[in-house]
Amino acid sequence: MRALTRWSLVAALLVPALLLPLAGTAQQRDPTKDPASWLDMRTSELIGKEVASPDGKALGEIEDMIVDLRRGAVQHVILSFGGVADIGDKLFVFPLNAFKRDEYRERIVVNVQPEQLKQSRGFTRENWPFDPPLARASKLRGANVKDAAGKPVGEIEDLEVNLGTGRVERVWLAPDGRKGDEDKRALPLSAFSVSERGEEIKLKK
């Protein structure tokens, strides 16, 4: 019943207008870019990025991304709108494919106007509607990882997601105490097991 209530709440927080595709602005791939990675972006690059309406009006910034650990995909993106320094702002739930980025990755666009968000319900950080297996990308980054025997092996440095499919393409694992690129490991999310409450993350083998 609680799960049903949570999903009902999330559905209610999705403003209907936000589910419409961005007219005339489908994800366009630059033919000079690698087609396999054109839509891939790291969560560290997306979280905190400013978001605008199609006509350039400021809408706030990406607060976080909600990852479904069972499906291995980003289930929702959270937009922070209004307020100052996280005070007085409202949070909104969007599907990942509602967002478009420009060629230079400098701007994220979503098909909504500030007036719509002002008149919509939203939610607050005190009323967070997501429970495991849905996890915040910001919390996964920096999470400690153990091997199958329970020995610490490092921490999750970042996640790379595809804006078109929502799939988590790879997880970057940094060994304990080492941050150099040569030491990082790129692994699929399926290589990890997460406890029921999301409190412990292990490599399956």
Side-chain angles (χ1 to χ4, degrees):
M1 178 63 71
R2 181 180 180 183
L4 179 60
T5 301
R6 286 288 188 181
W7 281 113
S8 299
L9 176 58
V10 171
L13 293 174
L14 279 162
V15 180
L18 308 186
L19 300 178
L20 296 176
L22 192 55
T25 56
Q27 296 285 0
Q28 298 295 320
R29 179 180 66 80
D30 185 332
T32 66
K33 302 291 194 301
D34 177 8
S37 60
W38 168 241
L39 294 179
D40 291 349
M41 295 183 73
R42 295 195 181 193
T43 55
S44 59
E45 185 180 5
L46 286 164
I47 295 174
K49 185 173 283 292
E50 294 182 354
V51 179
S53 64
D55 55 356
K57 295 178 181 177
L59 296 175
E61 64 181 35
I62 294 178
E63 169 84 8
D64 216 330
M65 308 179 78
I66 306 302
V67 180
D68 187 327
L69 297 172
R70 293 176 180 169
R71 292 179 54 241
V74 173
Q75 186 80 14
H76 305 290
V77 176
I78 308 303
L79 173 72
S80 171
F81 171 77
V84 178
D86 293 341
I87 299 176
D89 58 342
K90 292 192 294 183
L91 304 179
F92 292 91
V93 180
F94 286 81
L96 181 63
N97 62 8
F99 294 87
K100 174 188 178 294
R101 70 170 177 82
D102 64 20
E103 178 182 353
Y104 303 102
R105 301 185 179 217
E106 294 176 352
R107 189 176 76 157
I108 297 290
V109 178
V110 68
N111 189 24
V112 69
Q113 293 293 327
E115 293 74 18
Q116 290 175 278
L117 297 181
K118 289 177 183 178
Q119 298 170 10
S120 299
R121 172 183 176 185
F123 66 101
T124 66
R125 293 174 182 81
E126 292 72 33
N127 188 30
W128 196 258
F130 305 104
D131 287 326
L134 300 181
R136 299 176 65 168
S138 63
K139 299 295 185 182
L140 291 173
R141 289 171 50 208
N144 294 321
V145 179
K146 300 177 181 179
D147 62 19
K151 179 181 177 180
V153 293
E155 67 179 43
I156 294 176
E157 183 175 275
D158 215 339
L159 296 88
E160 193 168 301
V161 303
N162 185 283
L163 294 186
T165 65
R167 178 181 173 184
V168 178
E169 297 290 350
R170 54 191 61 84
V171 177
W172 293 95
L173 179 66
D176 282 334
R178 291 177 286 172
K179 299 296 183 182
D181 288 342
E182 67 278 3
D183 294 322
K184 298 175 187 175
R185 298 169 59 190
L187 300 170
L189 187 59
S190 59
F192 300 83
S193 64
V194 184
S195 63
E196 183 176 351
R197 297 298 302 173
E199 299 168 349
E200 184 175 62
I201 302 176
K202 290 184 176 181
L203 286 174
K204 293 180 179 178
K205 59 180 180 180

